[in-house]
Amino acid sequence: MLRTHTCGELKLINNNEKVTLSGWVQRTRDLGGMTFIDLRDRYGITQLVFNMETNSQLCEAARKLGREFVIKVTGEVTERINKNLKLATGEIEIVVNDLEVLNISKVPPFTIEDNTDGGEELRMQYRYLDLRRKVNRDNLKLRHLMAIETRKYMSSQNFIEIETPYLIKSTPEGARDFIVPSRMNAGEFYALPQSPQTFKQLLMVAGYDKYFQIVKCFRDEDLRADRQPEFTQIDCEMAFVEQDDILNAFEGLAKYLFKTIKSIDVDDFPRIQYVDAMKYYGSDKPDLRFDMKFVELNDQAKGKGFQVFDNAELVVGINAEGCGDYSRKQLDKLTDFVRKPQIGAKGLVYIKCNNDGTFKSSVDKFFGQEELNTLAKQFNAQPNDLILILAGEKDKTRKALCELRLEMGTRLELRNPGVFKPLWVVNFPLLEWNEDTQRYHAMHHPFTSPKKEDLSMLENDPGEVRANAYDLVINGVEIGGGSIRIHNKELQQRMFKLLGFTEEEAQSQFGFLMNAFEYGAPPHGGIAFGFDRWVALFAGTDSIRDVIAFPKNNAGRDVMIDSPSAVSDDQLKEIHMKLDFDKK
């Protein structure tokens, strides 16, 4: 071994011990008669001391070391005079008596410290250097611990981890597949799995009643902060269960992770109907760290001569408590915010609740004091509160007010990343209408079971059918989603027909699953958690890229290895392909 200890473990109890450390030079400080070096490895930082009086040659050698040189030192542990209690090793230092350079380093393109001067694209290009920074080491350690604790908990609950294939059959539903050409089967292709959905259902048919897997999945879709072309799921399935059984089982996993990873005890998770989540928060993933529920005002606001309200499908608002002293400039900024193209509102109406019991609004021309008071009562508004109102088409207005609510939560510092508010959103619509294709699509996937009491509407009123589906939401982030599955061949055929599949298409793509249902398929259901999202949430970061060792950028590229890239003509011939498009 090139070291007796790591750079993060030596304490005062090691005083006077002779030790050997190896690592990277983080920083050098030349103080004339003394030279100090911070030596870093994965475990921490230890200060090294070189004394010009006792060993001038060694001290001169230390002064020539550059950042990120890899060195080995041997010396004696001594107590530091000026202790640094921010470091785990801050009470000691090593008086070096032997130095060996194991490898030199070019000057890195950015500083490898917590507050680096490197931009994101540059750091992704040199990700192997960026991973040396403590924040990334901590994130990957957190990811490691969460995977271990997940496996511990699931094993304790009698789940078995089973690997499913990565080379599977392409299907048209959901996001776009990554396809893989087959060399041995000319003109045919595998697909990389968007999830192990059908395989875990087959495992239930096979009798493995409690399955889980921490698994890579792949989706060829447009990217953003919480999406990557390859991502990791905690994939789970159970047999002989109903919805409550699933929610209770995996609420247990969530509580266990909060306790073991964050040392937090959380209360039982509230359950909110999808329709109520949309009505009161404008989102199927509401952030419950703060209140500010939507209040609908159609009955109170219409018929006063204000055409914006009178012509609107929905008039709805929120109460920003304690914001009644907002200036005109602040209100103009909020108006500009809701008018952004990505928000889509045409304007913003405000009502200030003054401390003297009067009201000031942007619609004083149409609403007198008594009418403004009536509106304010709908919000239980108090003096110095600020009511913000949007109006327009129902779905778009709710979406815009959702964004305004979140913006106000941020401005008022109500979205504390150290506070966690989990909830279940349940009973989603089974289907959603797609204007482009002029047909219904499954809101979750085509294997989701309808609510039993809604089965009679499946063909006649499919838009009103509710799904036996549920999402786990924490702080406005969808952490996981799942459903009770269809386990009956006839019902699955009805579902495929409703989604526009011909009998031949359904049999060609999913015949293996429907055939399996004829051999004693038990009632079953499950859930899949976004492991990257969960780690990011616990790490306090908005981007899952921060908790993935080698992520892709927003264009789906790995700029470090320059991938994706072209392949040779010989490789294309082997897989029976020829690219014939204008590369310009």
Side-chain angles (χ1 to χ4, degrees), residues 88 172 175 201 290 302-303 325 347 352 386 477 498 504 513:
Q201 290 190 247
F290 62 105
K302 291 191 173 188
D325 57 354
K352 287 185 175 185
L386 176 66
V477 178
L498 188 60
E504 293 74 17
L513 182 64

Side-chain angles (χ1 to χ4, degrees), residues 276-518:
D276 290 333
M278 299 304 296
K279 179 177 180 178
Y280 294 118
Y281 302 100
S283 170
D284 59 3
K285 42 183 181 292
D287 187 342
L288 297 189
R289 283 174 293 179
F290 62 105
D291 191 16
M292 226 177 284
K293 275 187 176 181
F294 291 10
V295 175
E296 297 184 1
L297 300 167
N298 281 19
D299 292 342
Q300 296 79 21
K302 291 191 173 188
K304 309 299 181 183
F306 183 47
Q307 294 300 308
V308 172
F309 286 174
D310 292 347
N311 297 332
E313 184 180 5
L314 177 67
V315 182
V316 62
I318 55 174
N319 181 19
E321 295 180 2
C323 296
D325 57 354
Y326 263 36
S327 66
R328 182 56 184 265
K329 183 177 181 180
Q330 288 174 299
L331 292 168
D332 287 345
K333 285 185 176 180
L334 289 179
T335 302
D336 291 341
F337 173 81
V338 300
R339 284 176 171 167
K340 288 180 179 179
Q342 59 267 41
I343 307 297
K346 294 181 179 179
L348 174 67
V349 172
Y350 69 84
I351 301 173
K352 287 185 175 185
C353 302
N354 298 324
N355 287 323
D356 61 3
T358 62
F359 301 91
K360 173 63 180 173
S361 81
S362 54
V363 288
D364 285 344
K365 180 179 177 181
F366 303 96
F367 292 82
Q369 289 293 301
E370 185 176 338
E371 293 164 320
L372 292 174
N373 184 46
T374 299
L375 293 177
K377 283 182 178 179
Q378 301 302 308
F379 297 87
N380 294 317
Q382 303 299 313
N384 202 37
D385 285 355
L386 176 66
I387 297 169
L388 302 170
I389 302 172
L390 298 180
E393 188 272 320
K394 181 173 62 177
D395 292 339
K396 290 181 179 178
T397 301
R398 282 178 176 161
K399 180 178 181 297
L401 190 60
C402 171
E403 295 298 330
L404 179 59
R405 175 182 179 269
L406 294 175
E407 176 69 12
M408 292 305 298
T410 300
R411 292 187 182 204
L412 297 174
E413 298 182 349
L414 300 174
R415 304 177 72 188
N416 184 345
V419 173
F420 299 94
K421 293 292 184 181
L423 71 144
W424 293 105
V425 178
V426 299
N427 297 339
F428 284 75
L430 181 69
L431 306 164
E432 55 187 345
W433 181 258
N434 186 296
E435 288 292 341
D436 294 334
T437 60
Q438 288 293 296
R439 68 178 180 90
Y440 282 107
H441 289 252
M443 182 168 268
H444 280 74
H445 54 61
F447 316 109
T448 297
S449 175
K451 301 289 283 187
K452 289 181 181 179
E453 56 268 36
D454 292 352
L455 277 174
S456 61
M457 298 187 290
L458 196 57
E459 281 79 20
N460 299 326
D461 196 3
E464 294 300 312
V465 178
R466 294 168 300 159
N468 216 331
Y470 35 80
D471 281 357
L472 175 63
V473 176
I474 307 176
N475 294 2
V477 178
E478 179 197 330
I479 295 298
S483 65
I484 299 298
R485 323 300 188 189
I486 296 170
H487 67 282
N488 173 280
K489 180 178 180 179
E490 289 70 29
L491 180 55
Q492 188 65 74
Q493 287 175 324
R494 287 173 67 187
M495 185 68 171
F496 284 140
K497 184 178 181 180
L498 188 60
L499 293 172
F501 286 74
T502 65
E503 287 188 21
E504 293 74 17
E505 288 171 335
Q507 184 62 34
S508 171
Q509 293 175 35
F510 299 109
F512 64 92
L513 182 64
M514 290 189 289
N515 292 342
F517 286 169
E518 296 184 295

Side-chain angles (χ1 to χ4, degrees), residues 238-243 245-246 484 523-526:
M238 300 173 70
F240 304 109
V241 291
E242 295 178 330
Q243 178 174 293
D245 301 311
I246 298 284
I484 299 298
H524 59 280

Side-chain angles (χ1 to χ4, degrees), residues 122-384:
L122 180 65
R123 287 185 286 110
M124 288 184 70
Q125 184 180 351
Y126 295 91
R127 183 63 170 171
Y128 48 86
L129 297 179
D130 194 37
L131 288 174
R132 295 179 186 174
R133 295 169 58 230
K134 183 178 184 300
V135 63
N136 290 319
R137 296 200 308 271
D138 288 347
N139 285 345
L140 292 185
K141 183 178 179 181
L142 172 65
R143 186 185 182 100
H144 164 71
L145 290 174
M146 288 186 69
I148 286 177
E149 295 299 338
T150 296
R151 287 189 166 99
K152 277 185 185 178
Y153 180 83
M154 298 299 282
S155 295
S156 76
Q157 301 299 307
N158 210 27
F159 284 79
I160 180 172
E161 186 165 14
I162 302 175
E163 296 179 359
T164 51
Y166 278 172
L167 295 175
I168 66 169
K169 186 182 184 73
S170 182
T171 59
E173 290 293 311
R176 287 182 292 272
D177 289 329
F178 283 101
I179 59 172
V180 181
S182 171
R183 178 181 60 82
M184 293 182 290
N185 300 276
E188 296 184 317
F189 298 82
Y190 302 104
L192 299 180
Q194 297 182 33
S195 85
Q197 180 62 44
T198 54
F199 288 98
K200 65 181 179 179
Q201 290 190 247
L202 291 170
L203 286 170
M204 297 302 104
V205 178
Y208 294 87
D209 63 319
K210 288 188 172 183
Y211 143 93
F212 87 104
Q213 184 181 187
I214 299 180
V215 59
K216 279 281 189 186
C217 300
F218 308 85
R219 291 180 186 173
D220 188 6
E221 60 185 353
D222 296 334
L223 306 181
R224 55 191 188 215
D226 63 348
R227 287 183 179 173
Q228 285 276 291
E230 52 181 314
F231 57 96
T232 304
Q233 285 185 178
I234 307 172
D235 199 60
C236 315
E237 198 80 3
M238 300 173 70
F240 304 109
V241 291
E242 295 178 330
Q243 178 174 293
D244 282 351
D245 301 311
I246 298 284
L247 302 191
N248 292 333
F250 295 104
E251 187 168 316
L253 170 63
K255 289 180 176 180
Y256 176 82
L257 291 177
F258 273 112
K259 183 65 174 177
T260 56
I261 302 297
K262 300 294 289 183
S263 300
I264 294 173
D265 291 307
V266 291
D267 296 330
D268 290 345
F269 301 177
R271 299 180 184 183
I272 298 179
Q273 300 284 324
Y274 169 86
V275 291
D276 290 333
M278 299 304 296
K279 179 177 180 178
Y280 294 118
Y281 302 100
S283 170
D284 59 3
K285 42 183 181 292
D287 187 342
L288 297 189
R289 283 174 293 179
F290 62 105
D291 191 16
M292 226 177 284
K293 275 187 176 181
F294 291 10
V295 175
E296 297 184 1
L297 300 167
N298 281 19
D299 292 342
Q300 296 79 21
K302 291 191 173 188
K304 309 299 181 183
F306 183 47
Q307 294 300 308
V308 172
F309 286 174
D310 292 347
N311 297 332
E313 184 180 5
L314 177 67
V315 182
V316 62
I318 55 174
N319 181 19
E321 295 180 2
C323 296
D325 57 354
Y326 263 36
S327 66
R328 182 56 184 265
K329 183 177 181 180
Q330 288 174 299
L331 292 168
D332 287 345
K333 285 185 176 180
L334 289 179
T335 302
D336 291 341
F337 173 81
V338 300
R339 284 176 171 167
K340 288 180 179 179
Q342 59 267 41
I343 307 297
K346 294 181 179 179
L348 174 67
V349 172
Y350 69 84
I351 301 173
K352 287 185 175 185
C353 302
N354 298 324
N355 287 323
D356 61 3
T358 62
F359 301 91
K360 173 63 180 173
S361 81
S362 54
V363 288
D364 285 344
K365 180 179 177 181
F366 303 96
F367 292 82
Q369 289 293 301
E370 185 176 338
E371 293 164 320
L372 292 174
N373 184 46
T374 299
L375 293 177
K377 283 182 178 179
Q378 301 302 308
F379 297 87
N380 294 317
Q382 303 299 313
N384 202 37

